[in-house]
Amino acid sequence: MGGPGLDRVLGSLRSRLAAYEDTGDPSGILSDAATEEAALLVDAVREHTASGADGAWDDDALATAGRLHWKRHLTTPPSDTVHHGAAILLFARPYRARRSLVPEVLWSQLAEHPDDTPALDLVSTPAEEIAELAEALLADDPTSAEALIPYLRVAAGMLPARHPGRPPLLSALGLAGSLLARSVPSRGDALDVAVEAAREAAATMADTWPGRAVLLSRLGLFLWERHQRDGREEDLTDSERHNRAAVLACGDDDPARPGCLHNLVLALISRYQLTGDPAVLDEAVENGREAVRSSRPGLPAAPLHATSLAAALRLRFERTGGAEDLAEAEKVLTAALDLAGEDGPYRSLVLTRLGEPAEVDAAPPAPDEPPPDEPPAVESPAVESAPVESPPGRSRVPPRRRWRWWRGR
């Protein structure tokens, strides 16, 4: 038995499924309340398994949650992979224990389902830990993004909107989508996935979530990348807004602040290229200076922050002919070269920027002209430069919490 509270949850979810079978009305099984009940059952099974107290009740609970997602899959477009993936995941254990709990149409798929899948599913790992693991894998190997995206989408799709683990999962999903789009240009859909995942996370995260500034800055970066790809001004406007919010969400001593400022500089440079407004360029320079000034010693992305400041300074030199701006840009890049080290990921970028000529009176694009494809002297950041860093000793996601917010408890 799962206990009185959990038995009520299990009974309620079974009633929703029965009502759908009787009436054909899917509203009950598509509701967020149904997602909440299924996720509570999965949460309970995971805890029972960890304590060695799992048994037949847990097989029934997983099978019921699996039926919810299977029915959802049958009511959604054929392209659905989230609910199908959730159903296969949830049915895997009941299939091995009591095959009769599982729809027969899925037996052949479950027979081929591996037993040693990565610990990136909610049956074995809490949401916050899945997000942490995914972030670590992406930092270690950005090429893992394509393989991670299905796991992250399924995990996020199994959680109700207000679950505290959902924003960290969506933030990691956004990062994976952005990395995939950068490494495989033909996968433009991955950047759209990144933007939408980060948007949803930003809309549902708590104001006190430690990863708030990082997420807002990521969203601003993803929107800027999409503006670079498509040239849509609304994406640039949203990028500026979210990057400004990210900077405001950082304290003066927050280690994430230099990266948030750097991403804001990217957006401001693109805005200047679109409008030719010198005030925007001045703001880019000031924010770039602060990003460089506040980068702590040893910060891997510090050389990258220097390149965005140098880009803004050189643009201002080209506009005004002020020799002091060109001198400052060269000084900043020379210092960044020392920080980059012999084998650092940004050494080649800094060397390239140092070798680029600057010309006075290079006219910025007029307001009615289309923006250039890329801002001069700015490179779409590599993974290390989604350059917002977690504070020392603090994860990008909240500490693990027992999920006890359900209204019936």
Side-chain angles (χ1 to χ4, degrees), residues 37-310:
E37 291 168 352
L40 276 167
L41 295 176
V42 173
D43 192 46
V45 171
R46 186 176 60 247
E47 293 182 2
H48 291 169
T49 302
S51 65
D54 55 318
W57 183 92
D58 300 272
D59 295 331
D60 287 337
L62 288 178
T64 303
R67 285 199 298 276
L68 173 72
H69 287 283
W70 178 242
K71 295 299 185 184
R72 284 180 168 182
H73 170 68
L74 296 178
T75 64
T76 53
S79 59
D80 166 69
T81 58
V82 170
H83 295 302
H84 179 269
I88 294 296
L89 167 67
L90 293 165
F91 281 138
R93 173 174 157 175
Y95 172 79
R96 293 192 297 270
R98 280 184 288 160
R99 190 170 300 187
S100 61
L101 293 172
V102 178
E104 187 173 353
V105 70
L106 293 175
W107 287 5
S108 61
Q109 294 182 51
L110 289 163
E112 299 173 358
H113 186 71
D115 293 334
D116 57 344
T117 54
L120 289 166
D121 65 78
L122 291 172
V123 175
S124 59
T125 308
E128 292 90 343
E129 292 183 19
I130 293 175
E132 287 182 322
L133 179 58
E135 296 264 357
L137 289 169
L138 290 167
D140 184 60
D141 179 15
T143 63
S144 65
E146 188 166 15
L148 287 173
I149 285 174
Y151 289 102
L152 293 169
R153 293 186 73 172
V154 167
M158 291 173 63
L159 295 178
R162 63 193 184 99
H163 190 286
R166 189 170 168 83
L169 283 173
L170 290 169
S171 182
L173 174 59
L175 178 59
S178 175
L179 290 173
L180 178 58
R182 294 176 201 171
S183 61
V184 185
S186 62
R187 289 296 307 273
D189 62 306
L191 183 55
D192 296 329
V193 167
V195 169
E196 294 313 309
R199 276 194 200 277
E200 186 176 350
T204 57
M205 67 181 174
D207 290 342
T208 55
W209 180 41
R212 178 180 176 82
V214 172
L215 172 61
L216 289 170
S217 189
R218 278 184 181 172
L219 176 53
L221 178 64
F222 302 158
L223 286 160
W224 176 79
E225 290 177 324
R226 196 164 71 175
H227 167 73
Q228 294 294 98
R229 184 191 73 184
D230 300 338
R232 292 189 299 188
E233 186 175 358
E234 59 266 30
D235 280 343
L236 180 58
T237 299
D238 283 348
S239 174
E240 286 183 74
R241 178 166 60 87
H242 289 295
N243 278 315
R244 292 184 192 282
V247 172
L248 289 174
C250 294
D252 290 340
D253 298 324
D254 193 325
R257 188 173 181 83
C260 294
L261 288 163
H262 167 79
N263 286 349
L264 176 58
V265 172
L266 297 182
L268 290 171
I269 287 176
S270 291
R271 175 62 67 186
Y272 166 72
Q273 291 180 305
L274 190 64
T275 65
D277 184 349
V280 173
L281 191 54
D282 291 341
E283 185 182 359
V285 169
E286 291 309 310
N287 281 286
R289 285 172 174 162
E290 186 180 350
V292 170
R293 188 169 53 247
S294 59
S295 294
R296 66 182 186 274
L299 181 69
L304 184 74
H305 303 163
T307 64
S308 63
L309 169 58

